[in-house]
Amino acid sequence: ALAMPLYVVVLSLVAVVWLVVLLSAERLQRVLGQSVITAFERLMGLILTAMAIEMLLAGLRVYIKSL
């Protein structure tokens, strides 16, 4: 039998979920309302900023250790 590696299955499932979310985004926006969408946008911005700062600090740590 043909056995697919686990990562192929997981990536396929992620792609399907991503497709469903993108195709239903307009409907989701109507159901959730503008205030919830704005809250999600701000939360995602905060998470993205935190990840960027973490990556910057990790890079600085590595750079300082290499001096």
Side-chain angles (χ1 to χ4, degrees), residues 24 34 49 67:
S24 63
Q34 190 57 43
T49 302
L67 293 180

Side-chain angles (χ1 to χ4, degrees), residues 2-64:
L2 295 173
M4 276 196 220
L6 182 60
Y7 68 90
V8 173
V9 174
V10 171
L11 285 176
S12 298
L13 288 174
V14 168
V16 169
V17 170
W18 178 71
L19 179 66
V20 168
V21 167
L22 285 178
L23 291 176
S24 63
E26 201 172 315
R27 223 173 287 128
L28 277 172
Q29 187 173 5
R30 269 188 269 122
V31 169
L32 295 176
Q34 190 57 43
S35 60
V36 175
I37 297 298
T38 301
F40 274 127
E41 287 174 354
R42 290 182 180 178
L43 179 63
M44 291 300 116
L46 180 66
I47 291 170
L48 184 61
T49 302
M51 289 171 60
I53 291 171
E54 181 63 34
M55 291 173 70
L56 176 72
L57 292 175
L60 284 173
R61 278 187 217 108
V62 170
Y63 176 72
I64 289 173

